[in-house]
Each structure stands twice: as C-alpha cells, then as structure tokens.
Amino acid sequence: PTAINITMVLKEHMYGGDTIQIGFNFPGLWRAIDYAGTCTIEGPFVNFFTGVVFDSVNSVLSLTLVDTKHIPRKQPVSIRLPTECEFVYPSADLSFSKGQYLGANQTQTNLADYQSSRYGTANLTPLLFTYATVIGGLSSFSGDNCKNVTCTPSSTRVLPSLQDGNSMDLSWSGQIQVGGIGAACYNKIDVPFDTSSTFPSRRFCSMASTGSNDPDPYDAVSSNAENTYVTSNFGNSGDNGKPIGQNPGRGGKVAAFSPIVTVTSGTVLTDTSAACRGAVGAGASTENPCVLPAGEGWNEAVSLNYTWSSGNVSAISVGLQRTIYITPGNTFTIPFSATTNSEGQVSSVECTVTVVSTGSVQEGWACAWTESSGDGNLVLTAGTQVPPETALRIQTTAGSLSLTAASVLPPTELSFVNTGNNRMTYIFKNGAVSVSYVTADGDPVGSYTPSSTPITIAADDIINFRVYAYNGRFRSSAGTTGVQTRAIVKPDSPSYFSEVKQSSVGVELSYGATTAGESTNVTIRAKLPEDLVNGSYVTLTMPGFTSASISRDIETGHAQFSTAQWNANLSALVLKVAPDQTAVALTDYTIEIPTSAGILYPASGVAPSSVMALIASYTISWVSPFPLTSKPRKGFVVQTTTDRNWNTDIQTTVVEDKLNNGVSDKILLDYLQEDMTDNTTTLVVNDPTQVGPSLDWLIGNYVQISDEVMRVEAVSGGTLTVRRSRRSTRAVAHTQITGGGTCACSTAGNASGTADSGQSCACTAVYVSYGQATNPLVGSFNGFDRLIGTAGATPGAGADACRIGSIYWPLGCNLRGVAYTSGLRSHQGFLLQAGNRKSNWLSNCGSTGDVCTSVLCKCETPTLLPDMDMGRPVTSDDIVYLRSSGDPLQWSNIPLTDVALEINSATVQNIILTDGSAAAASYLRVDDELLYVHGAASRGVLAINLYQVTGNADAGDSCACSLTGNSTGGGSCACFPQEVMTGCTEGGTLGTGDTGGGTGFSATFTVANAGPSGYIDSITITDPGHSFISIPDISIATGGTGCTLATFQSFLATTSSNVVQTERGALGTTAATHSVSTSVSKITWPLRDSVNVPGTQYYFRMAAYNDAGLSNYLYFTHAITQVNPTILSTFGGDTIEITMEGGGGSPENTT
C-alpha cells in the first residue's frame, strides 16, 4: 500500500455538502472491494471532509465537505491518505492476487506482471496530474449541474470513434485517428507475419481456444517461431480478444497482397495544433470534430525579453504562468521561426527558473535549443510541481545562445506548445459529424456509419458526456462525467462607456525663493488617492515657471519619487516612482526639487500655492447587459493605445466579472478578534494553524470588513498585515462586536448579551473578497438597474432612445439600441494604471470581415493569438505602463529604421540611417537620446576603402575586401591592386576638399608598422557630411606623413542617400554615442502631421468574454447626440437638455 498526497486549488467556492470526485484513470488506484479498515485523512484539512469513499471499479475517490465548512476559491487544499487506507498503485514491487480481492496477505502474483499479461505493458507511471470534479450538494447553491440526480436525458448523439497509433498500450501516443473502426472479427487472414500495417486496420479477435473462428495454420506456433506472442494453434488473439503478433495493433497486409486482407475504414485526422485549434479559435480549419496531437494540452502564452550581444541574441528571459498545475516532465516548446543558433542544437542550455513573487529558485528544470529546417525551438522541461497562477521567470545564462533571425525574432508575446500530460483532447462544436452503430457481443460497433444529421446544440442545453472503450468482441461500460455542462454562446457586447476619467491629486506647493526670473527650489506635498508602482508618473503643470533648458533626472533624495523631469516647453514637472518602489495611497509625501534644477520663478512674481496634478491612470466606467445563463460572462478585456487607428502601442489587460457568486463575491473567512482603528495595519482572526490550514495563501489577495476592502501583505498565524482602503473604499474603525449594551463575542463568532435599544448583537465578520468589474455602488440594485430606455418618437417611432424631457429620465436611455433581454443593465468600472498585469491573449486584428489596413486597424471582432483557448485569458508578469506627456522619453513612438554608421561623437550632427526617407522634420529616438531632423535626407559618405573587389564568390557568398587588402568570399575573389601602400609614419585625417558638392565630411585614420613599410590599417568616419551630389574624392587632409599609395590605388568612397541633419540631445535628453544597427524610432508627438500615428491621447476599447468566445469590441466615444431645444429664446432662462455618450461626470451619471 502507498500513501497518497493530493494538492488542489479550487476555481470556485466549495460549500458544505459539495463533493470532490478525483478520477485516477487507468490503470488507476486499487483497493480491495471488501476493504473494511479505517481510512482517515491526514493534514490541515482533516476536519473538513466526512470521510473517504472509493469506487474500486472505476478508480474514483470522493470526498464530501462537512456541512459546517466551506473552502474559498483560490485556497490551496492539501490532503494525505495514509498507507492504512490500503490504496495500491501498479508498480514492480507491489503484489496482486489474480482473481482475488486485494488484501494484506495477497502476495502470490506480481501486480506489474499481471498487468503486463493482460495489457501488454508494465512499469506503469503513477498519475501526477488530473482534473477533479466538484459535485454540488442537493442543498448547495453552487454548481451548474444536475447534482447527479435531477436531469433526465432527452436525446443522445454519438461522436466518431477515436484511436491512437497503438491499440494495446495504456497511453495516448502516435497519430490520433477519428472514425477508424476496423472490422468486428475477421475469420480469415491469409498472411502469416505482418509488421507493416498499423492500427486501425483489420483486427484479429478470435479467442485462443479450441473452436476458434480462425483455424489459419499460419497462426500456429510452429509457423511463428520468432513471435513469442503466438502461444496457441487455435487462433490469433489472446485473452479477451487481445491481439497478438509482432505488431499488436496490426491488421494484415493491404489489398495488393490479398483481396480479403484490406485496410479498414477510418479517417486519419490532421492532428496538428494549427488545424485543430483553428477550428475553435480563428476559424482556420473546417475539421469538426478534431483532436490535438497525443499528449498535447491547450496552449498558453509566454512573454519574451532578449539580451543582445554583437547583433545576436545571447540570452532569453521567458515569463511563464499557467492556470493549471505544472507537473514534473511537462515540456513547453517555444517556436522561433527562421531562427538559428551559431552552435546549432544545444541539448542543455544553462538556465535559472525563479518564482517572480518570492524569488525562490525552482530546481531540476532543463532548457534546450532544437533546430529543424531552419527553425528553432527553445524547449523548457519542468522539474518541479508549480501551483496554478504562479508566475515564473526562466532566464538562460548570458552567452549560452547566439541566435540569428533570418527576418525578425518572435514578438514579446508568443504562444507555446505544452506536452507531457499523456492525454488526448477531443474538440467538437455545432455541426460536428455524428455516427450510429449497433452493439452486440462479438460485434461491438456493428453497422458503424457516419450520420447525415450533424450534431446540433442549443444554447442553455445541459449536456453530459460519457465514453466507451471497445475491442474486437465487447464494448465496455461507460465512463461518465460527474458534472454536466451548460451550452452557452459568447456574451453580449458592452453597451457604452459612461465615463473615462484620468486620476488626479491636489498638491500643495511652496518655494524657497520668490524673486521673479530666478532659480528656486520647489516643495511638493501630496496624499495620493491610489498606490503607484514603479514607473508610474505624477505630472504637475506650473504656469509661468520656465527654465533655460529641459532638465532630466533631477535628484530629489526622496525614497519613492527619487527623480523628476522638468519640461520647460510645457511648464510641466514630472515625478516618477523609483524602481522597486511603491508610493502608497493616503500617505503624506513631501518631495523637494532643488534650486540646481534651474526652474525659474514666474516673471510675474506670482506662483500658485496648489495645483491639480494628473496621475497616469484612468478610471473607466461602462454599462453592459445583464448576463444570461445562455450568455454568461467571465470578464472583460480592456485595451488602450495612443494610436487612434489601433496599429501600434496596444496594451491589454483583463478584469474578472463572473457574477456567479454575486456582484460582491465574498466568502466568510472568520470573525474579527481585536478592534481596529481607521489606521491600524494589523487584522486579527483566529489562528487557523491550531486546527486547520494556514492563511498564507491570502498574501496578495483581499479581505473585507463591512464596506472596506484591504489587501493582505503578510500573514503570521491569525494576524494579517493589511493595506487599508483598497478598491476605492474608505478606511474606518471596526469593532469586534456591534450592538452596544452588554454584547460580547466568542472566538467562534457567536454573539451574546443584550444590545442597545433598536440594535442587535453581532460579531464582525471578515470575508475573503474577490474583485470584479461590476460596481455594487452604482445602480438601483447593487450594480444593476432597469433604466434601459423606452420606445418613443425620438429619434424614431418604436426605437429605444433617450427621450427628451425630464419626465422621461426615470425610463433611462438607450442610444445604441442595445437589446437588454433580461430587462436589466449592469454597471462596471476598472482602474487602468501602471502595474496592471498585461495579457498575452489577443492579437490586434485579422478575423474575416475586420477592417485592418496599414492605416486603419479598428477591428469589430477580437482575434486570439495563435493556439489560444477562448475562455482562458493568459496573463504574464509584464505590467502595463502609462506614459506622462510631460516626459519626452515617455512619448509614444513607432519603429522607423536603424543606425547605418556608428555615431561615435555626441556632437556630430550628420547621421546615416538605413532608411532616412520618412525622417524629415521629425523627432527621432535613438536609445535614450532624442534628435530633431532638419529637412529631407541627403547624400553622405558611408564607408572608405583602398581596394576594389574582383572575381566571383562561392555560391551563396559575396566578395569583399578589407582595408588592408584581404579578400573574403572564396571562389576567385581578389582585391585590386595587389600591391600595398608604404611609407606611413603617422595617422591623420581625411577630407573631400571641394569635390562632390557636399560639406561636413571628416574621418580619421591610423597606421600600422610606422616607417618605410607603414600602411593605413583603420579609417573611422567621424562625420559623413551631407548634400553631396556625386561621389567625392577622398584625400589625406592632415598628418599621414610619408604615406604613398600603390599604383592604381586610391581612397574609394561609398555613399548613402540616407544622411539626415539633426539637432542632438533635443528636448532635454543627453547626446551620446550610438552603435551600428541601433534601432531608431519616430516620436509622433508633438509634431504630428497625420492623425494616423501615436500621440499623447489614450484611446480605449473593450470586449466581454466567456468560454464560448468574445463579444465584439466597444470603442470609447465622446459625442453629443441630442440637444433640445435647438433654438433658444433671446430673453434667456431656457433649460437645455443635452444627451451625450461618454460624457458622464461620474459613474452614476448613466441614466
């Protein structure tokens, strides 16, 4: 017997009477059917379950939660079943008595051998991961299922049969096939020994006994000396129809050998991720049903960051997070199309795996680099068990790789293939092929045929699934799912945005000097309304203040706001939260800007004592139809961009909104054990570790007392360290007992005593709180209302509208004509700020019918990234960053080109780009320097050589000459002339004189072997010059004493027409040197000559999602739609009614 350790994380709350069912699959867990011992759960959840119920036939373990307990979702549950429970897992050192029940004295036959004799396999691997089912109790209010008793089947449809590459092993392997049933039992096989045919083709299913229906002499022992599986002269199958032969899944030769030995029916499905997933996600495949490759699970996404060295990627950082457990042996294959490593395949790439939240290192993981047909893969193999929702960072060691991409490297968000779960995933949707057959002993799938009627499913149908196995003679009993599934369609789109509001904070200002036009220090005092994480910005506009220049990286000496930027063009001071810091809400902060920053007091002599500062975060409020059972809602995806046409700079985040546990999704944790003031940071409940599981899982999650929500920062026993007033709630004092009088509370939360008149004694409950988008503070009914509009004459008869006149206000407004099927609408809100987790789930556009051109990409329908699952948004440890318009280096930019010639000086103004055609009159960003480009690109000198290339290179190569006359490229490549220059005694400079028509060129050179045999060994172009109309003549301008060129030798210039003249270090940035191939981007604000490029305004769109898909996008619109009256009287005093979309002054203003 073996002990079993079970760990799970519930995705929904579990209440008393609910039952967890854990299927151990085949070969499953074993225990004597007549087991009469005592099986007691061990561990912190010992008091949570009524007992252990085990179905030995189906290998299913059931645990029922006691009536007085509940388990919040996301709480890890750990259970240990000791050896006294006498569970047995097939293994080489365990015993089983054939034909008898298990028991302590049953040791006659080795279990693994018995398994091998029955199923052709041994050394079975214990189950490491499975999906558990929670069955709602009859009195439970959770679960969308029949609770095993209340549903009566109304119809049954059958999907096509499934086989893998081997009918006789115990795991899914090889190519998966749909609809290949073979023949029931063939009674004549003409070939003796076939190793070429593969399953499914003809099966041999006669019994190994006298009177076999296949007396073929070729199957006799004497004819099969090499085949140890042939043990009888009476047929060609083993016990219970088990096929025998060199290939247990064989079925004879094809018809070319014998007309009666033919390959049987069946379609080999194209079991590739792209074909199968496409049928579900992007509509790229018509296969229905389809299956994933054997052992492959649903893909998710990773985030990638690259470390560069000499133009190649030398290290990769991978962000990985799964919604289910990672178990040892899981592999994650990240594709790198058209990317190769300089050393080819590497079986062991050095890498480190850490948990992002704790920094703890995960041991035993392995990384490798594989290549095939010019494509590469980074393969990660798990070495530890990792709980769901745990963010991992996998970092390859610097220099372990040297990757070169033929085109571009994968984007920073990329889906991967995960394998190693030994499972098969079968996917179907409406319109799938169905089949029919007739079952009889000896003919389990007789008359098997695809049906002309496809499978149809209606929304709101409750569906159960069952699976049968069959062999050549029999069909098994059914394996049936424990819970039922409701058929749903994708949710309704959000109705409209009621408000988008940028966060702000009032700040107090004081000054050290108040003399007009002189430098002054500035003291800033503020109390923030929300937490601001690393990278967040607060922007203060200070009218009248100026400076001689823009100042960056002003040192403040403050822990959280350690640096500031001053933008004289905008009179804006920008405070930035420092790395690894968080500015905490409702904390008084004082920040000093020193006089050395050069900020000048207003010339008017008057300066504000307070201003309203803007925070780079946005509160978004919107309205949606109330979800239906056929159109449930799991949440919303929210996207923002600074590009009004949604081509670039898109950031995606996800907010949950399931509502299956109500708008305020909370569940009782315990009762408050000590009073709290409005600024207490410790919350005390009973220490659960004395009798149950710890509360450590609450770290990073939220608790709620009354209306106040708090974030748990640390846990010690029953003492929670909390951050107060989260989710826009207010910190107030909380007492252990309410009601006054003689009220008292026990530690268990039982109230006693006599309350004051009109009150009642109550103990203060502490809840675990789960944030959702729906705002219970808005609307008439806890986040909902009935103000859905009414039919009227405006704008048209019978249309839902916003009718003019105050008497119609209580009826609501419905500008877009939304169909509120339930008669209810719901109100949602979300704070979009730096620190929100990014999602790697959606691409930009691409679905059929969407508008997405090089100019406009305003999609109607969201599109999943390749291989994504519809109901499972993928988040990473990357976070959202929102820019401040006051910091030029935070302005939006779009990739433009690269540096073509090294910029080796901070003063040179002429620079060469790979493509300078679109750079005229714009700001460019190179590293952290901004450059302003004057005018259009012109011609300058890109390179200088002393030799000409001659000859032909090897195939696939090209001839080239170095500055010293060495040729490369193979073949007949040579350099002309063959002689070398002599006599150089010193280096010097080069110039163009008056040739070429341009100006500004300069270069330096060095010499080797100074003296009679001295020669130029390097030339550095320090300024390419500009405006050349022809190739200039290059000559020595200074130095170079004694340098004598060889016969026919000269300085040969290569020019480029991509030279731009720039103003270096623009907008307060620092001019610096930049290497070749450095990326150059274009700053599209403030000099926007087109509306089709990013600027400083943020745009928003969103969609609702569930397991069936995503709704259409809703785009934020700010518009006046109706005004009444349109003509005003001359004497004034008229009331004007204006109907707007997106113009709400508060979330409540959505009538």
Side-chain angles (χ1 to χ4, degrees), residues 516-602:
E518 291 190 3
S519 296
T520 182
N521 66 307
V522 182
T523 302
I524 303 164
R525 296 182 179 88
K527 182 181 289 188
L528 301 171
E530 61 201 48
D531 287 354
L532 300 183
V533 301
N534 164 32
S536 299
Y537 290 85
V538 178
T539 302
L540 296 73
T541 300
M542 302 172 61
F545 284 83
T546 61
S547 67
S549 63
I550 295 176
S551 299
R552 293 194 55 77
D553 299 326
I554 302 169
E555 297 292 336
T556 67
H558 193 271
Q560 284 74 35
F561 296 97
S562 58
T563 59
Q565 290 86 39
W566 167 252
N567 189 326
N569 295 341
L570 303 175
S571 293
L573 183 66
V574 181
L575 306 175
K576 181 180 180 181
V577 179
D580 301 321
Q581 293 290 324
T582 297
V584 180
L586 305 180
T587 301
D588 288 311
Y589 287 109
T590 300
I591 302 103
E592 296 281 348
I593 306 299
T595 305
S596 58
I599 300 176
L600 305 180
Y601 199 78

Side-chain angles (χ1 to χ4, degrees), residues 821-1091:
T821 307
S822 65
L824 291 172
R825 62 179 189 171
S826 57
H827 299 268
Q828 287 77 41
F830 177 62
L831 179 62
L832 180 65
Q833 63 178 156
N836 292 142
R837 293 275 296 280
K838 275 187 178 181
S839 172
N840 301 328
W841 193 37
L842 300 181
S843 66
N844 192 1
C845 290
S847 293
T848 303
D850 275 338
V851 177
C852 190
T853 67
S854 59
V855 176
L856 177 67
C857 202
K858 201 170 182 179
C859 313
E860 179 181 7
T861 306
T863 308
L864 298 178
L865 282 170
D867 304 340
M868 291 294 101
D869 190 359
M870 287 184 294
R872 293 171 59 184
V874 177
T875 56
S876 73
D877 57 324
D878 288 346
I879 60 175
V880 169
Y881 282 103
L882 299 174
R883 301 177 178 87
S884 165
S885 60
D887 181 1
L889 285 182
Q890 289 299 312
W891 292 348
S892 302
N893 58 83
I894 54 176
L896 184 68
T897 184
D898 300 314
V899 174
L901 176 68
E902 181 183 3
I903 305 173
N904 50 38
S905 167
T907 58
V908 64
Q909 293 182 314
N910 300 311
I911 66 173
I912 301 183
L913 306 175
T914 302
D915 181 1
S917 60
S922 65
Y923 282 103
L924 301 183
R925 177 169 178 168
V926 186
D927 295 325
D928 283 340
E929 179 187 358
L930 300 184
L931 307 86
Y932 178 70
V933 178
H934 297 278
S938 65
R939 194 176 186 182
V941 179
L942 176 64
I944 299 172
N945 209 329
L946 291 167
Y947 295 90
Q948 301 180 53
V949 175
T950 64
N952 297 308
D954 290 336
D957 210 340
S958 59
C959 295
C961 290
S962 70
L963 187 61
T964 55
N966 296 315
S967 66
T968 57
S972 60
C973 291
C975 298
F976 177 83
Q978 297 183 356
E979 295 79 10
V980 298
M981 68 185 310
T982 58
C984 288
T985 60
E986 62 174 345
T989 64
L990 302 177
T992 59
D994 296 329
T995 65
T999 185
F1001 170 81
S1002 64
T1004 62
F1005 65 89
T1006 62
V1007 300
N1009 298 331
S1013 58
Y1015 59 92
I1016 295 176
D1017 65 343
S1018 72
I1019 296 176
T1020 301
I1021 298 175
T1022 54
D1023 192 327
H1026 66 91
S1027 303
F1028 288 96
I1029 58 176
S1030 62
I1031 298 176
D1033 296 331
I1034 307 297
S1035 60
I1036 294 175
T1038 64
T1041 302
C1043 288
T1044 303
L1045 296 174
T1047 303
F1048 303 115
Q1049 193 173 43
S1050 63
F1051 290 98
L1052 304 172
T1054 300
T1055 60
S1056 168
S1057 297
N1058 292 298
V1059 175
V1060 293
Q1061 293 177 265
T1062 66
E1063 171 195 333
R1064 300 292 304 277
L1067 301 179
T1069 59
T1070 302
T1073 60
H1074 307 284
S1075 60
V1076 174
S1077 300
T1078 299
S1079 296
V1080 177
S1081 56
K1082 185 176 183 179
I1083 304 297
T1084 55
W1085 189 89
L1087 301 178
R1088 282 199 291 172
D1089 56 1
S1090 169
V1091 297

